[in-house]
Amino acid sequence: MAEPGIVFWILAVVTVASAVMVVTLKNIFHCALALILCLFSVAGIYILLNAEFLAAAQVLIYVGAVAILMIFAIMLTSNLASKAIRQSNEQVMVGTVVSVLFCGGMLALIYLTDKAIVSEETGVAFWRQVRGTLPADNVASLGGYLMTKFMLPFEVVSVLLLAAMIGAIVLARKEKA
Amino acid sequence: MNLIPIVAVELQPIFAWIYRWLEGLGLQGTLLTVVVYAGLGVMVFGVLAVLALFLVWWERKIAGHMQQRFGPMRNGWHGWYQTMMDGLKLLQKEDVLVDTRDKVVFFWAPVICFVAAFLAYVVMPFGDGLIVADLNVGILYIMAVTTFTVISLLMAGWGSNNKYALLGGMRSAAQVVSYEVPMVASILTVILFTGSLSMVDIVESQSGLVFNWFVFRLPFGPVAFMIYITAATAEANRTPFDIPEAEQELVAGFNVEYSGMKFAMFFLAEFVNMFTVSAIAVTLFFGGWQGWEFIPSWIWFLGKTFMVVLLLMLFRWTYPRLRVDQLMEFAWKILIPIAFVNLIVAGWMKYAGWYW
């Protein structure tokens, strides 16, 4: 990658700006579109990290399925999109405090870890750098690991998702008298 | 990193010459990469725009002949430049704007639709080595970027602030989300045997005799192809699955409030999408650009793709439109079970080694 710095900063600014738009815009449909932009730029950051599979999966799942279902739900719910409805409630201050604290905690974690690593490593590492090279075929090795070493977590997650889906259907369907 | 993109053997001298010329101008590093890829983008865009114009004309001729009339005849030989004239007409038309529209969403919907239609061509292998970028997530990338088409249709439906447009957008979302499942399952059947998501690898694993094409690999190949082509018709929003713009029910569906150039963008994107799904079908099931070597590989690719496009056009003028509930039932109760059984059979055959 020739100029990862510039590309990273463009993506970072777009991600953060659209994330702010998700919570500040008045129209909930616009919020959903801003969320799509946010998730899409996160996919861009994955590409910068050489994780093409993760980027494609991010777009396919979050933009292609989750966001579309959200928009679908917004469209089906009457009055949800009218501008008279407030998008925030009285907990907005509490929420702000919690997210600022969380953000601070993450930043502190990054900088503390940085110090711990730099003292041992060459001194240029910004974040913990794992030794070794990228596999030639990301996708194949990912699939291999999912089917061998991480078989149990993979299956557990699948069952969990299935249970959640069945639960949603049970909650949503009308009882027949 | 090799800055010269992978290009066909017959085109390599030209590309090398352009590359040296750009270097002579003093371009280096990132800037050179950006210029080379921008040039490639313009090239692919130009080819596809002309193709889309041709497809519109071809569709009208086929429709005409199937209904025992001639179709466009006035502009040139059998009306060959009719679509260009239509394009010029649309350019001059007034851009009618509804006052109650959602301004930002209304403006961006056709733009996103148009851009999304062309994104898939980054990884499309047009010929032997004729590909912009051979990503190792090729087919997954295509599945990912084509979802933006749905978002643009939803945006158009919402932004128009019109009940017909909204209904069209919602139907399109429900339809595409449903048909994506059998589509991915049928693509997975092919991926199982190539062991790679890269479009070039998929094409090369079908080299040799014609029986190596996935469509001829019995018994799962033909089934996977039929599932794919059905789902692709739905993804491209074409009859018998054109519920999003069912004229008789929804006037024109999601694009009812669009006029002039904005309408033209939706219209062209639709034809580019049709070409995209056909090109994917050719890559996955018909050996891509492979064929007898005395004909250039890109002619094979285009020829095969036009055959699949012809199939889609024949569908459109043969079958009546499905009702919206029939459409959903067909996807979830018929297509998805068949697709998964097919995938299991293919996986079992791969495990047992019963394939060629």
Side-chain angles (χ1 to χ4, degrees):
Chain A
M1 199 53 69
E3 299 287 342
I6 301 169
V7 180
F8 170 77
W9 282 110
I10 293 172
L11 285 171
V13 169
V14 171
T15 310
V16 174
S18 52
V20 170
M21 273 154 71
V22 174
V23 287
T24 52
L25 285 180
K26 293 279 181 284
N27 188 325
I28 197 164
F29 188 79
H30 291 177
C31 296
L33 293 179
L35 183 65
I36 290 173
L37 184 61
C38 179
L39 296 168
F40 188 56
S41 8
V42 171
I45 290 176
Y46 287 151
I47 287 179
L48 279 189
L49 296 171
N50 282 331
E52 298 95 348
F53 179 79
L54 199 56
Q58 163 95 1
V59 175
L60 191 62
I61 294 167
Y62 284 99
V63 179
V66 175
I68 286 179
L69 283 181
M70 270 183 194
I71 292 180
F72 203 57
I74 292 170
M75 281 179 162
L76 280 175
T77 316
S78 55
N79 294 330
L80 195 58
S82 66
K83 286 173 184 166
I85 290 182
R86 286 195 304 157
Q87 306 294 345
S88 57
N89 59 15
E90 56 279 351
Q91 290 176 349
V92 66
M93 280 316 293
V94 185
T96 313
V97 171
V98 170
S99 33
V100 166
L101 280 178
F102 183 72
C103 186
M106 293 292 275
L107 284 175
L109 193 68
I110 288 171
Y111 283 107
L112 291 176
T113 317
D114 187 24
K115 274 178 196 163
I117 291 300
V118 168
S119 60
E120 297 166 16
E121 300 272 326
T122 52
V124 285
F126 170 70
W127 183 243
R128 196 168 74 91
Q129 287 193 331
V130 178
R131 289 182 183 279
T133 49
L134 277 174
D137 193 345
N138 270 340
V139 187
S141 28
L142 194 66
Y145 277 124
L146 276 184
M147 282 294 137
T148 53
K149 198 177 172 186
F150 299 104
M151 185 80 184
L152 186 67
F154 180 65
E155 293 293 331
V156 168
V157 167
S158 314
V159 173
L160 186 71
L161 283 175
L162 183 69
M165 207 157 68
I166 294 173
I169 292 170
V170 169
L171 285 178
R173 76 182 272 183
K174 280 184 190 141
E175 284 295 330
K176 276 182 188 150
Chain B
M1 184 180 154
N2 182 16
L3 284 180
I4 305 182
I6 317 157
V7 287
V9 182
E10 55 261 41
L11 288 176
Q12 256 163 12
I14 306 170
F15 266 85
W17 182 81
I18 294 173
Y19 192 73
R20 276 199 303 275
W21 179 67
L22 285 172
E23 269 185 332
L25 288 178
L27 291 175
Q28 280 172 353
T30 316
L31 199 58
L32 186 60
T33 317
V34 170
V35 169
V36 166
Y37 276 92
L40 271 179
V42 171
M43 216 168 75
V44 172
F45 177 80
V47 169
L48 287 169
V50 174
L51 267 178
L53 287 180
F54 169 73
L55 288 178
V56 174
W57 172 79
W58 200 28
E59 168 118 61
R60 292 180 65 181
K61 291 307 275 190
I62 285 176
H65 285 282
M66 284 186 78
Q67 296 166 347
Q68 302 211 334
R69 51 191 179 86
F70 288 115
M73 287 297 277
R74 299 295 173 93
N75 292 313
W77 181 79
H78 284 257
W80 69 270
Y81 62 87
Q82 176 71 44
T83 331
M84 286 174 232
M85 291 290 130
D86 286 344
L88 283 178
K89 182 196 75 177
L90 283 170
L91 265 176
Q92 297 164 17
K93 274 202 163 185
E94 185 193 351
D95 189 14
V96 182
L97 297 169
V98 197
D99 268 348
T100 50
R101 74 188 188 279
D102 189 328
K103 289 189 183 60
V104 183
V105 178
F106 187 84
F107 175 79
W108 282 101
V111 179
I112 291 178
C113 188
F114 201 62
V115 172
F118 289 94
L119 277 178
Y121 289 90
V122 170
V123 295
M124 199 64 84
F126 285 101
D128 190 1
L130 202 61
I131 181 170
V132 177
D134 180 23
L135 302 182
N136 64 2
V137 286
I139 186 76
L140 194 70
Y141 164 85
I142 292 184
M143 297 309 298
V145 294
T146 44
T147 56
F148 280 95
T149 310
V150 195
I151 289 170
S152 71
L153 301 192
L154 281 170
M155 284 169 74
W158 177 273
S160 304
N161 206 350
N162 172 314
K163 62 183 173 188
Y164 296 120
L166 190 64
L167 274 175
M170 272 171 49
R171 283 177 173 193
S172 129
Q175 174 178 322
V176 174
V177 169
S178 307
Y179 279 88
E180 202 137 82
V181 182
M183 192 177 193
V184 170
S186 69
I187 290 174
L188 272 180
T189 317
V190 172
I191 299 301
L192 207 58
F193 288 88
T194 58
S196 168
L197 297 173
S198 147
M199 298 294 266
V200 171
D201 286 353
I202 292 171
V203 171
E204 278 172 356
S205 67
Q206 302 174 64
S207 60
L209 290 172
V210 75
F211 298 107
N212 283 342
W213 293 1
F214 277 109
V215 72
F216 294 123
R217 298 209 186 172
L218 299 167
F220 51 85
V223 181
F225 172 68
M226 277 187 271
I227 293 165
Y228 175 82
I229 205 75
T230 315
T233 317
E235 295 262 319
N237 291 329
R238 289 178 60 83
T239 326
F241 305 106
D242 69 336
I243 283 291
E245 46 188 308
E247 292 92 345
Q248 292 86 345
E249 305 165 32
L250 297 179
V251 194
F254 60 87
N255 60 19
V256 65
E257 295 291 1
Y258 284 89
S259 55
M261 211 49 217
K262 284 183 182 143
F263 169 75
M265 282 164 97
F266 276 120
F267 194 65
L268 278 185
E270 191 189 320
F271 279 84
V272 173
N273 279 335
M274 181 170 67
F275 193 78
T276 312
V277 294
S278 310
I280 298 169
V282 166
T283 309
L284 289 175
F285 297 102
F286 291 99
W289 38 260
Q290 311 213 23
W292 293 303
E293 282 179 6
F294 54 84
I295 301 174
S297 55
W298 56 273
I299 293 184
W300 276 109
F301 179 80
L302 284 184
K304 288 175 186 175
T305 309
F306 278 132
M307 285 300 118
V308 181
V309 168
L310 180 65
L311 191 68
L312 289 180
M313 286 181 178
L314 295 181
F315 282 167
R316 172 161 182 182
W317 301 103
T318 311
Y319 296 120
R321 176 183 305 128
L322 267 75
R323 231 170 40 219
V324 69
D325 58 323
Q326 291 171 334
L327 190 89
M328 287 297 152
E329 266 188 30
F330 183 65
W332 290 99
K333 294 183 180 167
I334 301 174
L335 221 47
I336 291 178
I338 296 177
F340 278 116
V341 168
N342 191 42
L343 184 60
I344 291 167
V345 168
W348 179 56
M349 290 184 74
K350 165 91 180 178
Y351 181 71
W354 294 346
Y355 64 96
W356 65 88

